[in-house]
Amino acid sequence: MAKARTFLRGRRWWRPLFSVYALFLTACSPVGALNALTPQRDYLLNAAVAYGPGERGRLDIYRPRGPAMAGQPVVVFLYGGSWNSGRREDYRFLGEALAAAGIITVIPDYRLYPEVTYPGFLEDNARAVAWVFAHIGHYGGNPQNIFLMGHSAGAYNAAMLALDPRWLAAQGLSPSRLRAWIGLAGPYDIYPIGYRNIRPIFHYPDYPARSQPIDFAAEGSHIPVFLGAARHDHLVDPKRNTDGLARALQRAGTPVVLRHYTGVGHETLIGAFARPLRWMAPVRRDVLQFIAETSRVTPEAASTAAVPAAAKSRDSGSGH
């Protein structure tokens, strides 16, 4: 056995195979497996903090472990699930991935279909963001350095809050208060809706006017944007959604960082934040770099940054 461990220690090729094998052994669901393999030593958790009414009006706060530091950057992460599923506890691996890098991470629940339809979930998300602005300083976060991030349906939600001022305005805020926003595998231009289980959420066939992020690309707050997508995403078309929104934002003068990733799909794009799966794509590395670089400049300076330099697209393969 000792010889076998010595043999494996010197060879990196076994790690991906071992990670996948371990996922199937340790839990019944993929997110359960990722969370089971996520260490707890790198964060402190404030769980189920109320930001609004009901059980869905709660959020989890992941704080970096170690000496308390004031003014840390903050990410508010909105998860996906087709607006009809998902819960904050499933994303402990994401909270750890960011907290381990020194970023306070807030993951709120929000009401889902059939309890609400559009725009109920956006109203909840705006309420959660307002709570973060008002209270994150008590947890060591910098309210002047808040990033909004989402995956899949959560990326749609993040885009709407960042581009359409109605939702944050209802909470006495402006999207310009955000440092930047990050969208991963988001559906930003989905009408007409092909998936039957999503149609009633957006009142099919009477689709609400101006309810897609693409509608606001030319008139948004122009704060910096990171858009990432799996090159081969068979659930949300990256060419129409991610690339289409990136082009529209760039035409409007918004600084955009655009990344395409090989080796991952729609779900594994966010899964690649977890320690066991980071070999699949360097999405965590790229997001952390974006947060670090954007945090160095004021929102005013970032909004006037040269678009051609910021908007270059790059294919990304495996990495850490």
Side-chain angles (χ1 to χ4, degrees), residues 155-161 163-164 181 186-190 202 210-218 241 245 248-249:
Y156 164 95
N157 296 0
M160 287 296 287
L161 264 62
L163 297 175
D164 179 357
W181 67 276
Y188 310 116
D189 180 18
I190 60 173
F202 288 89
R210 290 172 63 81
S211 55
Q212 297 295 294
I214 194 72
D215 298 332
F216 301 91
N241 290 276
L245 181 62
L249 290 169

Side-chain angles (χ1 to χ4, degrees), residues 15 35 52 63 71 74 91 103 109 132 137 149 154 157 164 188 192 213-214 219 231-232 235 274 293 301:
R15 295 180 182 177
N35 287 331
R63 294 181 290 128
V74 180
Y91 291 87
I103 298 169
D109 275 332
V132 172
M149 174 179 168
N157 296 0
D164 179 357
Y188 310 116
I214 194 72
E219 56 191 76
R231 178 160 292 280
H232 302 293
L235 185 62
E293 293 179 351

